Amino acid sequence: MDFGSMKIRKFRSLSFKLTLWYIVILGGIIVLAGIFQYQSFKDSLLDELDAKLLEIADETYETWSSKRGMSWEEALQETTGKFQSYRPLIQLVKLQEKERKKIEEVIHTTSIKEGSFLFDLRTYYRADRSDIDNLIFLIHSEEELGAYPLRTILFPVRGPNIVQVGISLENTELDLRRLMIIMVLAGAGLMLLASLGGNFIIRKALKPVKSVVQTAKDITADDLSLRIEAGQRQDEIGELVDTFNDMISRLEKSVKKIKQFSGDVSHELRTPLTIIRGEIEVLLRKERSSDEYQKTLKSTLEESAYLERIIDDLLFLSRIEALEKKEFDKSVQLDEILLKVVESQELTAKKKNITLDIKMAEPTEIKGEEILLERMVTNIIDNAIRYSQPGGKVEVSLDKKEGIPFLRIQDTGIGIPEESLPSIFDRFYVVDKSRFKETGGLGLGLSIVKQVADGHGAKIEVESELNKGTSFLVRFPDVK
Ligand code: ADP
């Protein structure tokens, strides 16, 4: 077994591709949802932190202003203690009374090392101070304040003073990191589960396709009896299976027909050949009179003429089959073709004392192939004459119904038994084999008629009553 090619086939398989697409799309959705979730969690954490910064700054000022005589140092220490769990860094920046662009003094909590909690006055003045959100900044400060950035607020209070509060983002970042780890693990788990589940479902859905492939492989020209189990499926796969089964049925029928046909051909060709051979063998056994030679030669000549006719008809049939569609698309005058055929059959009819009439309303142009149409009409009229008794009548008429031309050939002949009607167009089918010598039928005439009509998209209807007569109706397709 070639494992290399099996592996390649696996990667090219539809279930692999579908699973891959499924994973890519699902992965994309999970990543997008994760980013959105992460971002909104981060925003809400920062909003909470900012509210806390504002609260601490406000509280610091309230503590200082509500108690007379309280120094700023004491107020800062008290607030720090109150919000201990947040470990806030608070400092008060006093600006010079006259020139407010300069710092006079910075008072800060003990948790801040001297000069380590920075304050940038230019940033403060550049910000639009009407919105408190604009006064919240991130500071990446030196090592003294730890490895995490600080989020700070600059809160203007009475006098030219600013309360600055900072909280480390350590907790926020740790929370975010934890969330990230959980999300990555959950996302990966979800993807794994979903891709296993998805692959299972896809494989299950495609399983019947495998059985179609297997059955198709098992089917050979010699055994077309196999069918695929469709079960109760009503979906696309069910439709595929039905279509496939229908196709095999049609194939089986046509292969059967071809086999039957080639059997029939061999048989039909063999019979006259056997007769010719037998007669010659008998003739050669001893010396014969010239009469006897004449008789046998005449009979073998008849048989070979018969053989020639079979071969001619078969060749004609296969030539029609090989014709391209455009060959049937030339403009032809159907009325002229009819006249020509009727004229050519008049002598035969007269010899048999049969009246051959033609009724035509108007010139009729159709799309078709002249020689084939001539042959079709000839065969039907020829049958009508051959299967009629002397004194009978054959009537050919061309008419139009709602613009669609139709041709009727009616005789007062022997008629066709009802049970034979479905078979008369089959190759080599003759109703009465015993009468074959009188009528000279090969059973190929109507096969040619049917083949020509099919090529033109025309429909043939036959009505017949035994000993009363037969009528052939050819409906041509709408030319418009
Ligand atoms: P054949 O060469 O024997 O006439 P066809 O294929 O032309 O073969 O016709 C098939 C059979 O249909 C004939 O054997 C004949 O019995 C029957 N048939 C065809 N046309 C007529 C008709 N107009 N009247 C009676 N029987 C007919």
Side-chain angles (χ1 to χ4, degrees):
M1 197 183 280
D2 185 355
F3 287 102
S5 72
M6 243 175 74
K7 213 178 234 174
I8 292 170
R9 218 178 299 155
K10 203 175 166 96
F11 287 129
R12 282 194 191 150
S13 75
L14 191 58
S15 62
F16 177 78
K17 282 185 195 159
L18 282 176
T19 313
L20 199 68
W21 270 110
Y22 176 64
I23 293 174
V24 168
I25 292 170
L26 188 75
I29 294 172
I30 289 179
V31 167
L32 280 179
I35 290 175
F36 179 74
Q37 186 77 21
Y38 182 83
Q39 201 56 45
S40 49
F41 185 67
K42 186 177 171 184
D43 288 348
S44 77
L45 281 183
L46 289 180
D47 282 352
E48 241 173 68
L49 197 67
D50 292 348
K52 203 44 86 183
L53 286 172
L54 187 61
E55 190 188 335
I56 296 173
D58 195 43
E59 180 77 22
T60 310
Y61 174 68
E62 285 298 319
T63 311
W64 177 79
S65 63
S66 62
K67 290 186 192 150
R68 274 194 170 274
M70 183 181 245
S71 72
W72 273 110
E73 281 92 344
E74 284 166 340
L76 297 188
Q77 281 318 130
E78 200 178 316
T79 327
T80 311
K82 203 167 168 189
F83 292 96
Q84 211 168 10
S85 59
Y86 291 93
R87 283 178 281 136
L89 305 172
I90 315 174
Q91 65 185 9
L92 181 85
V93 182
K94 282 192 166 181
L95 303 177
Q96 282 180 2
E97 199 71 48
K98 283 189 193 127
E99 208 181 329
R100 291 197 173 180
K101 303 239 162 150
K102 281 197 177 144
I103 296 171
E104 191 181 288
E105 187 191 3
V106 178
I107 301 164
H108 55 71
T109 49
T110 47
S111 48
I112 303 174
K113 273 194 210 154
E114 202 62 49
S116 64
F117 188 11
L118 299 177
F119 174 77
D120 184 4
L121 200 57
R122 265 175 308 166
T123 314
Y124 175 71
Y125 278 112
R126 229 182 282 135
D128 172 8
R129 274 167 289 149
S130 59
D131 183 356
I132 197 77
D133 279 347
N134 292 328
L135 293 170
I136 293 175
F137 304 99
L138 265 192
I139 297 181
H140 287 272
S141 139
E142 283 90 79
E143 283 147 31
E144 289 94 338
L145 292 171
Y148 294 92
L150 276 182
R151 198 160 171 95
T152 72
I153 187 171
L154 303 173
F155 186 69
V157 292
R158 195 160 54 146
N161 300 329
I162 302 160
V163 172
Q164 183 176 14
V165 182
I167 295 179
S168 162
L169 283 177
E170 183 176 357
N171 281 341
T172 314
E173 294 217 341
L174 286 179
D175 281 352
L176 286 174
R177 199 168 299 164
R178 223 170 291 136
L179 174 73
M180 178 72 99
I181 292 170
I182 291 171
M183 274 179 18
V184 167
L185 288 179
L190 198 69
M191 290 269 293
L192 189 72
L193 273 180
S195 46
L196 287 178
N199 188 260
F200 173 74
I201 293 168
I202 291 166
R203 270 165 186 277
K204 208 171 158 213
L206 290 179
K207 210 172 158 204
V209 176
K210 279 205 165 160
S211 102
V212 175
V213 173
Q214 196 49 51
T215 315
K217 276 184 190 162
D218 291 345
I219 289 172
T220 59
D222 293 325
D223 186 8
L224 287 164
S225 61
L226 283 175
R227 295 291 177 274
I228 300 157
E229 285 291 321
Q232 294 298 311
R233 295 188 83 106
Q234 302 275 322
D235 52 10
E236 289 87 341
I237 304 275
E239 209 175 314
L240 173 75
V241 168
D242 286 347
T243 314
F244 186 81
N245 282 343
D246 281 354
M247 192 187 80
I248 299 299
S249 294
R250 268 181 279 138
L251 216 60
E252 191 181 16
K253 260 189 213 154
S254 50
V255 167
K256 211 169 149 188
K257 253 190 178 169
I258 293 169
K259 280 184 184 166
Q260 161 114 35
F261 178 59
S262 50
D264 288 350
V265 171
S266 324
H267 176 77
E268 295 296 328
L269 294 180
R270 207 186 162 80
T271 315
L273 275 176
T274 314
I275 295 171
I276 294 174
R277 191 193 160 125
E279 287 190 358
I280 295 175
E281 270 174 4
V282 171
L283 190 74
L284 288 178
R285 257 184 223 150
K286 57 178 187 183
E287 201 60 37
R288 304 277 175 186
S289 68
S290 109
D291 261 8
E292 278 174 313
Y293 283 121
Q294 282 251 350
K295 210 178 129 213
T296 309
L297 280 176
K298 235 174 144 183
S299 151
T300 52
L301 187 66
E302 264 171 32
E303 292 299 337
S304 47
Y306 174 68
L307 264 178
E308 201 181 340
R309 272 173 56 210
I310 295 186
I311 292 168
D312 277 352
D313 280 356
L314 288 176
L315 274 176
F316 195 81
L317 269 171
S318 65
R319 247 185 257 136
I320 308 172
E321 271 169 13
L323 279 182
E324 284 181 29
K325 203 135 190 68
K326 63 171 195 291
E327 304 281 348
F328 296 92
D329 218 25
K330 298 171 234 163
S331 292
V332 289
Q333 285 303 130
L334 190 56
D335 50 304
E336 283 172 18
I337 293 174
L338 282 185
L339 271 178
K340 193 172 160 193
V341 176
V342 168
E343 264 170 33
S344 73
Q345 295 283 324
E346 253 162 3
L347 192 66
T348 326
K350 209 171 170 188
K351 269 189 195 161
K352 225 182 148 181
N353 190 23
I354 287 168
T355 329
L356 181 57
D357 269 355
I358 178 157
K359 277 205 284 184
M360 252 183 314
E362 54 191 280
T364 307
E365 192 182 281
I366 61 162
K367 294 264 176 243
E369 212 291 331
E370 195 166 336
I371 295 175
L372 298 186
L373 287 169
E374 237 179 78
R375 181 67 179 262
M376 179 180 88
V377 180
T378 307
N379 283 7
I380 304 177
I381 297 181
D382 175 66
N383 277 350
I385 297 172
R386 270 193 296 126
Y387 295 106
S388 290
Q389 309 290 5
K393 189 177 175 191
V394 175
E395 201 174 85
V396 180
S397 63
L398 177 61
D399 230 320
K400 270 186 194 161
K401 215 178 217 172
E402 288 158 15
I404 303 171
F406 69 92
L407 165 70
R408 187 190 290 276
I409 294 159
Q410 204 159 3
D411 65 51
T412 53
I414 59 169
I416 304 167
E418 207 178 327
E419 65 275 11
S420 296
L421 278 177
S423 316
I424 54 170
F425 294 104
D426 293 349
R427 290 171 190 192
F428 296 116
Y429 182 85
V430 288
V431 172
D432 187 356
K433 276 251 173 200
S434 61
R435 265 199 347 221
F436 140 85
K437 278 281 171 204
E438 310 154 29
T439 56
L442 302 173
L444 287 173
L446 287 184
S447 313
I448 293 174
V449 168
K450 176 84 167 61
Q451 194 86 22
V452 176
D454 285 351
H456 286 84
K459 297 260 170 296
I460 306 182
E461 286 162 34
V462 188
E463 283 166 16
S464 186
E465 210 175 318
L466 273 181
N467 302 320
K468 283 252 168 80
T470 307
S471 144
F472 277 82
L473 190 71
V474 186
R475 274 181 216 281
F476 287 92
D478 196 350
V479 272
K480 278 157 266 156

